[in-house]
């Protein structure tokens, strides 16, 4: 099942299946990241991401806001590759847009947030997101902590827009793209 994630913190480390087979070379050179690869891999190991896709598929990290229309458009292009088991997406939810915090908390509080994402919650325009758990619940507190960690990561990486994508190519280099234009 391509939507079966291990939970808010994936079991695999960023180096596991972290390459995209056909995403290097002259066309990808424009996306060679200015971020330090080792620093990025270390930082992404500390965030609360969930995986959508086959565990054996190459991995791309996606920083997304559940209300971002550009994230929704990007997911619509990635979803067929995920369904075909050609790509796994490790989603790092943030709350960059006004009103996104309860939506991100709702998704991050789930035992299987990847299934909700794959079903369209937070990943597709117009698909409602279930309300978050009660504010005094442990699930809410944990999800809020996950979200704070992810938002801090976005600030430390210097993100100015979503979606943000990063992957380690077969050549061992870090590639990234940010915002609607990339």
């Amino acid at each position: 099942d391509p939507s079966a994630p291990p939970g808010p913190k994936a079991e695999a480390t960023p180096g596991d299946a972290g390459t995209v087979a056909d995403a290097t070379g002259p066309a990808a050179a424009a996306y060679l990241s200015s971020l330090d690869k080792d620093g990025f891999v270390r930082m992404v190991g500390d965030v609360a991401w969930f995986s959508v896709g086959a565990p054996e598929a190459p991995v791309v990290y996606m920083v997304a806001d559940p209300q971002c229309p550009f994230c929704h458009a990007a997911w619509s292009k990635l979803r067929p590759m995920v369904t075909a088991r050609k790509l796994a997406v490790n989603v790092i939810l943030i709350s960059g847009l006004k009103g996104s915090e309860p939506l991100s908390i709702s998704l991050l509080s789930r035992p299987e947030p990847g299934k909700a994402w794959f079903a369209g919650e937070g990943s597709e325009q117009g698909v409602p997101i279930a309300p978050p758990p009660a504010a005094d619940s442990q699930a809410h507190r944990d999800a809020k902590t996950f979200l704070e960690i992810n938002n801090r990561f976005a600030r430390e990486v210097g993100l100015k827009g979503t979606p943000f994508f990063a992957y380690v190519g077969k050549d061992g280099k870090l590639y990234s793209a940010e915002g609607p234009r990339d």
Side-chain angles (χ1 to χ4, degrees):
D1 175 21
S3 65
K9 182 70 173 177
E11 300 291 329
T13 60
D16 294 346
T19 61
V20 178
D22 60 353
T24 57
Y31 296 104
L32 190 59
S33 186
S34 62
L35 298 171
D36 173 67
K37 180 188 87 169
D38 294 333
F40 176 82
V41 169
R42 187 174 47 257
M43 287 174 30
V44 84
D46 292 332
V47 299
W49 48 267
F50 57 86
S51 189
V52 182
E56 70 277 2
V59 173
V60 64
Y61 287 89
M62 176 184 188
V63 178
D65 183 295
Q67 295 190 104
C68 170
F70 304 110
C71 298
H72 299 157
W75 172 250
S76 72
K77 293 179 187 220
L78 293 173
R79 185 183 171 112
M81 290 184 279
V82 170
T83 302
R85 305 178 74 82
K86 293 180 180 179
L87 184 68
V89 179
N90 289 349
V91 181
I92 302 168
L93 281 181
I94 64 168
S95 59
L97 298 171
K98 184 178 180 178
S100 291
E101 182 174 319
L103 304 175
S104 292
I105 287 173
S106 172
L107 289 163
L108 290 171
S109 70
R110 313 278 180 90
E112 297 181 302
K115 284 187 177 184
W117 178 268
F118 196 78
E121 289 187 62
S123 63
E124 295 178 25
Q125 187 71 34
V127 175
I129 298 173
D136 62 348
S137 70
Q138 188 62 48
H140 189 281
R141 287 190 294 274
D142 290 347
K144 189 167 175 88
T145 298
F146 293 150
L147 183 58
E148 289 168 358
I149 290 167
N150 292 356
N151 286 338
R152 182 174 40 247
F153 165 80
R155 287 189 303 274
E156 289 173 1
V157 171
L159 298 188
K160 293 177 181 51
T162 53
F164 170 82
F165 296 97
Y167 65 90
V168 177
K170 286 183 96 173
D171 59 3
K173 296 177 182 174
L174 182 68
Y175 294 85
S176 63
E178 177 179 0
R181 292 195 178 135
D182 276 352

